[in-house]
Amino acid sequence: VEAAKRLAAYAAVDRHIGLEHKLIGIGSGSTVPYVVDRIVQQGPKANAGRVFLPTGFQSKELIIKAGLALGDVDQYTRLDVTIDGADEVDSNLNSIKGGGACQLREKVLADMADTWVMVADYRKNSEVLGTNWKQGVPIEVVPFAYAQVLATLTKQGGTPTLRMGKAKAGPVVSDNGNFIIDAVFPKDQMLKPAELLVRIKLITGVVEVGLFTDLAKAAYFGNEDGSVTVRA
Ligand code: DER
């Protein structure tokens, strides 16, 4: 799987990050480290004058450790390119994101980018969302409202659970100080992710939803046989 992640990341960087691209968003998760590796391989001359914006703590550490210039998101309202991972991508380039609890800042940097591209291994390549990713749609909520949001999601046909820490007692807390609810929905709702996104986003207390619709220019999937599938 790691080789497949690397294949996707390298193909996306080689195609979408040229010398003219100076403002670059870096996503979160276990595939984007290969994106950063490939950017570093372009060499110091290519990276001089570039600025890299992170989508969370892990992403920021990646940029710093790679010796790339870290940008302050307050100083920019647009980016040339953002490359990010995904938990699952459907045939229309809609995706479930937030497995790493980073979807709020990830969506900010996706919105800012002229080009937003996803990179993933073959496990994420689906026809319909929810086919392979069984953990549900990650939803960032303010802690004050999580019980009400759980109840409303249930009323709307979802099966929601508050995401609890593994190496931490109590709930996972996002980089923004919020909780994450993972909600599984029936297939008929997952077939229309843009409508589902709006329904969830309108629930009081919801900060952001891990459904990325009508945002991606392309998705790159590394395959076990060493090939790369590009959906654009
Ligand atoms: O949270 C996210 O959306 C991240 O991009 C992440 O879930 C991507 O998954 P990966 O670790 O398989 O790249």
Side-chain angles (χ1 to χ4, degrees):
V1 171
E2 290 310 309
K5 293 179 181 188
R6 181 183 301 107
L7 277 168
Y10 282 27
V13 170
D14 293 353
R15 169 69 186 74
H16 293 283
I17 298 195
L19 293 177
E20 71 278 22
H21 299 117
K22 300 292 185 194
L23 301 180
I24 297 169
I26 298 294
S28 303
S30 62
T31 306
V32 289
Y34 298 111
V35 169
V36 172
D37 287 350
R38 193 59 167 178
I39 290 171
V40 170
Q41 287 171 21
Q42 290 187 357
K45 270 224 292 301
N47 285 309
R50 278 178 175 162
V51 170
F52 295 84
L53 267 57
T55 50
F57 183 89
Q58 177 230 355
S59 176
K60 184 177 76 168
E61 293 292 288
L62 263 181
I63 293 166
I64 292 170
K65 289 205 171 74
L68 297 170
L70 182 67
D72 181 340
V73 71
D74 296 1
Q75 289 181 299
Y76 303 94
T77 54
R78 62 162 296 281
L79 296 169
D80 295 319
V81 194
T82 294
I83 301 186
D84 200 346
D87 296 310
E88 188 174 35
V89 185
D90 74 8
S91 51
N92 300 314
L93 284 178
N94 301 305
S95 63
I96 293 178
K97 284 177 58 51
C102 296
Q103 75 266 27
L104 172 57
R105 297 188 188 192
E106 288 174 331
K107 199 178 275 190
V108 170
L109 267 60
D111 285 346
M112 288 169 71
D114 293 347
T115 297
W116 186 65
V117 167
M118 290 179 282
V119 289
D121 61 76
Y122 50 92
R123 297 171 304 167
K124 317 308 187 70
N125 185 353
S126 297
E127 282 303 309
V128 177
L129 296 181
T131 310
N132 294 306
W133 179 260
K134 299 296 185 192
Q135 291 90 312
V137 176
I139 301 160
E140 182 156 340
V141 302
V142 293
F144 181 81
Y146 90 88
Q148 287 71 22
V149 175
L150 283 170
T152 306
L153 288 166
T154 304
K155 265 188 241 136
Q156 292 183 359
T159 306
T161 48
L162 181 64
R163 189 183 296 182
M164 303 307 279
K166 290 196 175 56
K168 170 191 180 286
V172 164
V173 177
S174 75
D175 290 334
N176 313 300
N178 296 316
F179 288 170
I180 303 291
I181 289 174
D182 295 295
V184 178
F185 288 92
K187 182 164 181 179
D188 64 303
Q189 295 199 45
M190 296 305 281
L191 278 166
K192 297 184 180 141
E195 291 173 21
L196 177 57
L197 165 57
V198 170
R199 265 201 309 282
I200 300 172
K201 189 84 185 257
L202 288 176
I203 300 171
T204 302
V206 168
V207 178
E208 194 44 73
V209 182
L211 289 171
F212 285 47
T213 64
D214 195 24
L215 272 169
K217 271 254 175 24
Y220 291 74
F221 304 96
N223 298 314
E224 288 183 291
D225 65 2
S227 66
V228 176
T229 301
V230 186
R231 188 177 297 152

